[in-house]
Amino acid sequence: MRISTDFSIDKLPDVRNPRPGHADLAGILKYGFKEARPVLERASARETAMRVAIGAICKIFLRELKMRLLSHVVMIGGVESHTSSLSFDEILKNLSKSKLNCADNASEKLMIEEIDNAKEKKDTLGGIFEVIVEDVPPGLGSYAESDRRLDAMLASAIMSIPAVKAVEIGEGIESAKKLGSKVHDEIFYSKPKGIYRKTNNAGGIEGGISNGENIIIRGYMKPISTLMKGLNSIDIATKEAKKAATERSDVCAVPSAGVIAEAVCAFVIANAALEKFGGDNISETRRNYEAYLSGLKA
Ligand SMILES: Cc1cc2nc3c(=O)[nH]c(=O)nc-3n(C[C@H](O)[C@H](O)[C@H](O)COP(=O)(O)O)c2cc1C
């Protein structure tokens, strides 16, 4: 079989009618291009494939420190999944049967209907994904320097995924509407359990530091920007009205964005763990981690 090695961008058709919601127009204006082809090829979410590969290695490292991560879809097309009563392992088990990486199999059927409807109308959908990190030790991140806050690093990583327009940690969005007494996770102590909380509205981070609860973080994704019916745009050369260009396009990419989010969170948490525990080989890192945990227990 002959594999072509000629991937020249010059062989692809010009894109003179920029697509709203993409970098097309802003990229043309910024770099002085005559059309959007160089913008859309470079701005493509295909770059996230490498981040997922790196995240997979970070997940293996985190397993050595007993931490596990998962991502799942919690909303598409206004249809929500109901998973608050499920454990980490129950969510994982349900995901293994899911097409959309959604742990609520009844809601998933409705989400698929919404995607099919949008596709028929040549429209697109966004939604919400969630990443859960289990068994995170307290003490990752820092309140002492703004750029070492764990919440800031995770939010930045998730916002860097194309089409993500908002990030929520724990009950962040709902908590803005509530009284403090209904939001903050009160602290209890009993023997032999030790210090514990009855709720995790903070999503596992207080003051920029992991507090020992599961980290729960959500990303809100806008609908895919390329609509097969073409939104209003202009020809950038003539300035005449023209429908936006249509490249091959997904209808909804929320499940994939969740997988990317899981990978970038693994990267951030692995870095924070290495900063906290150090070590030049995995045995040393694990020893430092275990010594820290025994210190906390003592
Ligand atoms: C996994 C994934 C797949 C995507 N697939 C498409 C696609 O097929 N078509 C499209 O127009 N946008 C797609 N996007 C979204 C665009 O990359 C995004 O809308 C564009 O970069 C503009 O978003 P921004 O304003 O957040 O940068 C995808 C995004 C992700 C994360």
Side-chain angles (χ1 to χ4, degrees), residues 151-173:
D151 47 3
M153 293 189 286
L154 287 168
S156 168
I158 291 187
M159 278 298 284
S160 76
I161 302 168
V164 170
K165 292 296 131 197
V167 178
E168 176 182 28
I169 296 181
E171 294 294 313
I173 290 173

Side-chain angles (χ1 to χ4, degrees), residues 21-22 45 162-163 165 221-222 224-226 248-250 253 256 260:
H22 274 290
K165 292 296 131 197
M221 189 178 194
K222 69 182 179 183
I224 292 287
S225 307
T226 307
R248 181 223 69 86
S249 188
D250 301 322
S256 318
I260 302 164

Side-chain angles (χ1 to χ4, degrees), residues 14-18 28 34-36 233-238 242 245:
D14 284 2
V15 177
R16 295 203 321 198
N17 38 343
I28 288 175
K34 292 199 164 40
E35 52 97 16
S233 183
I234 56 162
D235 183 312
I236 199 69
T238 65
K242 197 173 175 189

Side-chain angles (χ1 to χ4, degrees), residues 234-278:
I234 56 162
D235 183 312
I236 199 69
T238 65
K239 315 295 182 293
E240 279 165 14
K242 197 173 175 189
K243 288 288 178 197
T246 53
E247 293 278 318
R248 181 223 69 86
S249 188
D250 301 322
V251 174
C252 174
V254 179
S256 318
V259 172
I260 302 164
E262 184 181 330
V264 298
C265 287
F267 182 78
V268 168
I269 292 172
N271 261 330
L274 268 180
E275 183 184 79
K276 173 89 180 117
F277 304 117

